[in-house]
Amino acid sequence: MNTTNVLVDSNVLLDLLEEDPIWYEWSSTQLQKAADTCSLIINPIIYAEVSIGFKRIEELEEALPPDYFLRMPIPWEAAFLAGKCFIRYRKLGGTKHSPLPDFFIGAHAVISGLTLLTRDAARYRTYFPTLKLIAP
């Protein structure tokens, strides 16, 4: 694995927190490999998606300790790119009426030069073909 920083997708975090019977092992192994050589990053979208399973912010902070998961804001350029990818999604027949979280996450990784750790790579490969992925 290279030494770039790794943006950790919410699906990987949820696999661990919910002890997903199918994906726990893969997500746990990949997260540990990344942590051995890289900084692990989350952004506000990922934080929000994971927060749904918690009643209190203190519980979420304990599950995603800031000294382990660095917080990074989404750059304005990434928000612009997410919007452009959303237009392409709509032209390809997508039915959602506002940009999906994956567009913000993928655009953040691309603009910031991050590798994305995810187990759901199809949309990222379609809309962000240059994005470096750690995916099954």
Side-chain angles (χ1 to χ4, degrees), residues 20-134:
D20 185 275
I22 296 169
W23 288 104
Y24 178 86
E25 189 65 36
W26 184 88
S27 292
S28 176
T29 299
Q30 297 306 315
L31 188 67
Q32 187 57 55
K33 283 182 185 178
D36 287 345
T37 59
C38 306
S39 293
L40 302 177
I41 310 246
I42 60 174
N43 66 30
I45 301 290
I46 294 163
Y47 192 88
E49 287 185 319
V50 174
S51 76
I52 293 169
F54 294 86
K55 291 183 179 176
R56 300 176 57 239
I57 194 169
E58 293 83 4
E59 295 167 354
L60 178 58
E61 286 292 305
E62 187 176 318
L64 301 175
D67 56 335
Y68 193 76
F69 295 100
L70 303 177
R71 274 76 166 143
M72 184 181 281
I74 298 171
W76 290 102
E77 297 85 357
F80 181 84
L81 178 58
K84 295 304 171 197
C85 290
F86 177 70
I87 290 169
R88 184 167 174 238
Y89 159 84
R90 289 294 304 234
K91 286 180 180 177
L92 292 173
T95 60
K96 301 294 181 183
H97 294 286
S98 62
L100 303 170
D102 289 351
F103 292 134
F104 290 100
I105 293 167
H108 181 185
V110 167
I111 294 295
S112 298
L114 304 171
T115 296
L116 180 62
L117 171 57
T118 184
R119 66 165 166 81
D120 187 21
R123 183 171 287 134
Y124 297 115
R125 286 187 176 124
T126 299
Y127 296 99
F128 305 98
T130 63
L131 177 59
K132 294 178 193 169
L133 294 174
I134 301 169

